[in-house]
Amino acid sequence: MEHIRIVLYSHDSLGLGHVRRNLALAHALSNQLPGLTGRAVTGVLVSGTVLAPGFKLPPGWDWVILPGVEKSRSGYRPRNLDVPMPDLVSLRASLLESVLGSFRPDLVVVDRHATGIHRELEVALRRARAGGPVRVVLGLREILDSPDAAIAEWDREGGAGLVKSLFDAIWVYGDPAVHDPVAAGEIPHSFRKLIHYTGYLAAGRPPGSGKLCMLRPYVMTTVGGGADGHALAKIASDVALPPGVGHLIVAGPQMPDEQLNDLRRHATAGARIVDTLDDMVLHMRQAEAIVSMGGYNTVCEILSTRVPALIVPRTESRAEQRIRAESLAAAGYLEHRDIGTLTPAILADWLVKRLGTKVDRRRAQLNGLVRVPQLAAGLLLPVLESTGTRPLGHIREGAAHVAI
């Protein structure tokens, strides 16, 4: 029996958020779709970061790494290749056409940018749709940007008409009770019929090694990929904590070496600085308190715990992290503070006051990694049945609340 073929695309210009989100989806789809459809899964993760293959894939999956792009003040530019940006876009577009044309996926999930960088994905999606019964989904984090910036981006990606012609559904990876991007003006109202809210992709992320690198008790600071996390990590490394309380600081694999070395040279007693962790969620669950930037994946991991958290959002590039921190703080799930008002003494005081406390996040919709395979099965089953494949399982409308 043929496998269900899936392509998950992310453009990956800054940080690791896009590829980490798609990786969580790959594991969930591989684990759950066979029971829902009667077919096993094989797939390709398309990414624009050379760090992607360092993450563990589910069985039956492989990587395609596109030549990288990065953000500059004037827009996107090549990360490594010394070529004009239009040439890089043409190269990436040709690779995307080849992947979708040769692999012939049953399902394509596009992360965040509907037609990719400078619409590099548009022709590949059009040809895939013309070539067979592929289902195409746009996956969006729960917050895009300020409304004006988000709507301008929709226009750059081709506008509402193009999006409706290319996509069968839009999955919003969040809880509209916390933040509704349609009501906020970040997603056009004309997309409402395509939208399904999945809840946060929080509960059920793939486990790591199960080994702690710190003796308890300890507090934890993490700055995502680390490319723009030095300012917060530096404040954290200067924090003086009570004797016997450790401080685990995760600088991220993208923090420049000179910044990482600076943290290690000047860190206070009891601090341990690492660039990566094999089991982030385990370390979060065992921590007494967490300080973090406001990236989607890190916040999802925090929400899956009962540990008190202070979010210090990124202030440049997008308003996304600030809006996320404010929305989740208003719901009572965490606290937030602007980095411009944060000092080592203020942070130390917050951490000490949170020692031994817990946060009740049971009202949060955290079961997105169960809901997404159900939605995928709902799109795929009509096609599988029309080709004579009877599903062995059935779609279960599982509860979206997860106890912590």
Side-chain angles (χ1 to χ4, degrees):
M1 186 178 296
E2 289 189 8
H3 286 56
I4 294 173
R5 299 187 182 192
I6 299 176
V7 169
L8 304 180
Y9 159 90
S10 58
H11 74 288
D12 300 312
S13 62
L14 177 65
L16 299 172
H18 300 277
V19 67
R20 286 188 63 213
R21 187 159 50 241
N22 272 353
L23 190 67
L25 293 175
H27 282 278
L29 291 165
S30 284
N31 290 336
Q32 298 171 51
L33 265 185
L36 295 168
T37 65
R39 286 195 186 183
V41 171
T42 190
V44 173
L45 276 153
V46 179
S47 172
T49 173
V50 296
L51 295 176
F55 294 101
K56 184 179 179 181
L57 283 170
W61 287 73
D62 214 333
W63 296 101
V64 169
I65 306 301
L66 303 174
V69 298
E70 64 183 5
K71 289 182 178 178
S72 68
R73 293 187 180 277
S74 59
Y76 291 109
R77 66 186 182 192
R79 178 179 288 136
N80 298 312
L81 292 181
D82 189 10
V83 299
M85 188 60 186
D87 291 357
L88 184 70
V89 172
S90 178
L91 174 57
R92 285 170 57 113
S94 296
L95 291 170
L96 290 165
E97 286 181 55
S98 179
V99 170
L100 268 63
S102 299
F103 189 60
R104 302 188 311 278
D106 302 293
L107 174 67
V108 178
V109 181
V110 177
D111 188 78
R112 176 65 179 87
H113 293 280
T115 53
I117 297 295
H118 294 192
R119 296 172 69 166
E120 65 187 2
L121 191 55
E122 180 181 349
V123 172
L125 290 179
R126 287 188 183 280
R127 291 183 175 175
R129 293 189 70 92
V134 61
R135 296 292 182 257
V136 184
V137 175
L138 178 60
L140 299 176
R141 62 185 184 232
E142 88 292 18
I143 295 160
L144 304 182
D145 204 337
S146 65
D148 289 345
I151 294 303
E153 195 159 31
W154 285 112
D155 291 339
R156 289 195 298 273
E157 292 176 353
L162 178 61
V163 172
K164 289 179 182 179
S165 71
L166 292 178
F167 291 91
D168 298 291
I170 297 174
W171 297 340
V172 178
Y173 306 134
D175 179 355
V178 176
H179 180 84
D180 185 341
V182 177
E186 300 165 40
I187 299 177
H189 281 265
S190 61
F191 292 169
R192 277 191 176 276
K193 292 183 178 179
L194 293 176
I195 291 174
H196 301 270
Y197 293 93
T198 68
Y200 293 97
L201 307 180
R205 291 208 168 208
S209 67
K211 296 180 180 179
L212 283 174
C213 72
M214 289 285 287
L215 296 175
R216 298 188 68 188
Y218 66 90
V219 298
M220 184 173 175
T221 296
T222 178
V223 294
D228 58 353
H230 181 256
L232 176 57
K234 184 66 172 69
I235 292 172
S237 71
D238 290 340
V239 164
L241 290 169
V245 178
H247 192 170
L248 176 60
I249 300 172
V250 187
Q254 293 178 319
M255 182 173 287
D257 289 341
E258 62 271 18
Q259 294 181 355
L260 183 60
N261 292 333
D262 175 66
L263 296 179
R264 287 173 170 160
R265 281 195 303 269
H266 298 103
T268 54
R272 178 175 182 181
I273 298 170
V274 300
D275 54 355
T276 60
L277 284 175
D278 179 62
D279 201 328
M280 179 70 79
V281 174
L282 173 67
H283 285 82
M284 285 183 172
R285 289 185 184 278
Q286 299 299 322
E288 297 291 321
I290 300 168
V291 180
S292 172
M293 294 178 69
Y296 178 86
N297 293 283
T298 303
V299 167
C300 281
E301 289 163 342
I302 290 170
L303 291 176
S304 72
T305 78
R306 298 181 62 200
V307 180
L310 177 70
I311 302 301
V312 185
R314 174 189 296 141
T315 57
E316 297 181 0
S317 183
R318 296 185 182 276
E320 167 217 346
Q321 291 197 7
R322 175 186 58 78
I323 297 169
R324 177 174 298 116
E326 292 173 350
S327 300
L328 288 165
Y333 298 142
L334 46 75
E335 300 172 68
H336 73 98
R337 190 175 186 115
D338 186 86
I339 195 166
T341 68
L342 190 65
T343 66
I346 290 172
L347 183 54
D349 182 64
W350 183 87
L351 287 167
V352 169
K353 288 180 178 177
R354 298 303 177 273
L355 296 177
T357 67
K358 298 296 181 184
V359 179
D360 185 352
R361 300 184 175 113
R362 286 175 293 182
R363 291 185 296 108
Q365 303 274 341
L366 305 180
N367 218 16
L369 291 174
V370 171
R371 182 62 177 147
V372 162
Q374 294 172 353
L375 291 170
L379 287 172
L380 292 167
L381 279 171
V383 177
L384 300 181
E385 291 175 345
S386 70
T387 59
T389 302
R390 286 292 174 187
L392 300 179
H394 62 281
I395 299 176
R396 293 177 291 105
E397 293 291 336
H401 288 79
V402 174
I404 298 172

